[in-house]
């Protein structure tokens, strides 16, 4: 088996020594080419070349969810083709590792590598669905290229929180759960659209839903983790279905307190609910429009401001070793 290992040297939970051990373990079982990323988008470029070659069987991403997202977008640059494209394996090296953990992999790089090697020997894999987001035709964002996401996207409040966290990380702060909580509070205090939202959700065959203040799009459950605690925005979301949506029409102090409590106590059987909550399950096509530019994120990566995003849930998009 020929495999490409894409290594993010900035992965927050793996040291250089650990990475060397993982590379040695993988190389003992396959013909391995290990490449360390050197710039933003490098993982995508490496995975694209692997997808376009005729002799690569597997691409292994060693890093956090951002690295995985880049690799997935490189593999699917020409569109999904599970039978032809190299398979994907993920060794978690970030602070949260939502995609790897949602697949059932251990949240430890060494243990996950062992699980991947066992899966390769046993020939176990699954084909997962993914989300695709693109600029909406006929809007000022129509030229924004499409991009795949593995576990979630957000338009509005949660993307603003991620943007704030990224600003602090650029100043040298570590990505911690405490940092996210602090920035979520500051985003809420400064949120200008919390009482009357600016987002409208449109989907074929249904009436538009307007005045939404927050929208979270999930491709799997859980939505994220706080330490070892899974947080379920859309408990029914699955890699085997299309996309789920949780949208809130109000972000008043009382509403935020209620829904934040529901998120913190959520479970695979119960997520946020109430008169200000819109929940959609297994939606293939829909569009989010905003009256004003709002922050947008995918897989925890802040992508700037958007006024309109069109989403597509694509079933059976990529083979993953588990």
């Amino acid at each position: 088996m020929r495999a490409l290992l894409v290594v993010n040297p900035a992965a927050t939970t793996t040291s250089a020594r650990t990475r060397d051990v993982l590379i040695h373990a993988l190389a003992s079982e396959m013909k391995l080419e290990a490449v360390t990323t050197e710039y933003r988008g490098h993982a995508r470029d490496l995975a694209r070349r692997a997808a376009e070659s005729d002799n690569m069987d597997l691409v292994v991403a060693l890093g956090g969810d951002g690295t995985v997202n880049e690799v997935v977008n490189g593999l699917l640059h020409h569109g999904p083709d599970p039978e032809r494209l190299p398979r994907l394996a993920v060794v978690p090296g970030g602070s949260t590792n939502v995609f790897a953990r949602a697949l059932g992999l251990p949240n430890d790089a060494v243990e996950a590598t062992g699980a991947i090697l066992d899966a390769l020997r046993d020939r176990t894999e699954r084909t997962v669905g993914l989300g695709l987001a693109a600029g909406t035709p006929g809007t000022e964002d129509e030229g924004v290229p499409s991009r795949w996401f593995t576990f979630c996207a957000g338009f509005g409040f949660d993307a603003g929180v991620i943007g704030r966290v990224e600003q602090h990380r650029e100043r040298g702060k570590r990505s911690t759960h405490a940092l996210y909580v602090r920035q979520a509070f500051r985003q809420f205090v400064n949120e200008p659209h919390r009482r009357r939202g600016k987002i409208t959700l449109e989907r074929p065959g249904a009436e538009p839903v307007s005045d939404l203040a927050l929208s979270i799009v999930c491709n799997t459950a859980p939505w994220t983790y706080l330490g070892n605690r899974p947080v379920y925005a859309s408990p029914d979301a699955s890699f085997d279905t299309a996309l789920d949506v949780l949208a809130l029409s109000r972000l008043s102090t009382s509403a935020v307190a209620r829904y934040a409590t529901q998120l913190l106590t959520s479970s695979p059987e119960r997520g946020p609910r109430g008169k200000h909550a819109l929940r959609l399950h297994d939606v293939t096509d829909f569009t989010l429009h905003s009256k004003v530019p709002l922050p947008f994120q995918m897989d925890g990566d802040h992508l700037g401001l958007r006024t309109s995003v069109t989403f597509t849930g694509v079933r059976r998009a990529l083979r993953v070793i588990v």
Side-chain angles (χ1 to χ4, degrees), residues 26-213:
L26 292 169
S28 67
E29 299 288 338
M30 62 194 74
K31 188 173 183 180
L32 184 72
E33 176 187 0
V35 182
T36 299
T37 58
E38 299 176 356
Y39 55 86
R40 189 182 181 98
H42 194 185
R44 180 197 60 226
D45 296 340
L46 292 168
R48 178 181 175 179
R49 286 199 288 270
E52 292 173 344
S53 71
D54 296 325
N55 60 355
M56 195 63 69
D57 304 299
L58 175 69
V59 175
V60 183
L62 170 52
D65 288 309
T67 303
V68 175
N69 181 277
E70 284 196 19
V71 168
V72 167
N73 275 277
L75 288 172
L76 273 64
H77 179 79
H78 298 292
D81 188 351
E83 299 307 314
R84 183 191 65 82
L85 291 173
R87 290 167 292 172
L88 171 69
V90 178
V91 178
S95 59
T96 310
N97 307 305
V98 178
F99 182 64
R101 294 163 85 176
L103 288 170
L105 290 169
N107 192 34
D108 175 83
V110 175
E111 292 183 10
T113 300
I116 290 168
L117 292 174
D118 288 343
L120 288 170
R121 295 186 194 105
D122 296 339
R123 301 179 181 271
T124 59
E125 61 182 51
R126 65 181 293 189
T127 304
V128 300
L130 298 171
L132 183 66
T136 305
T139 71
E140 61 185 68
D141 289 329
E142 66 178 341
V144 176
S146 60
R147 179 165 170 169
W148 296 90
F149 61 97
T150 63
F151 65 91
C152 84
F155 193 39
F157 181 84
D158 76 308
V161 174
I162 288 173
R164 287 174 174 270
V165 170
E166 288 191 1
Q167 289 176 356
H168 283 270
R169 292 187 66 185
E170 289 171 359
R171 300 178 194 140
K173 291 284 187 70
R174 291 185 66 248
S175 177
T176 64
H177 299 296
L179 178 61
Y180 275 91
V181 171
R182 289 196 302 271
Q183 297 314 310
F185 175 77
R186 290 171 183 169
Q187 179 71 19
F188 169 72
V189 170
N190 294 285
E191 175 59 54
H193 312 300
R194 66 189 186 194
R195 292 199 174 273
R196 187 173 181 84
K198 301 296 183 181
I199 302 170
T200 297
L201 186 150
E202 297 180 353
R203 55 187 174 124
E207 289 294 318
V209 182
S210 59
D211 300 330
L212 300 172

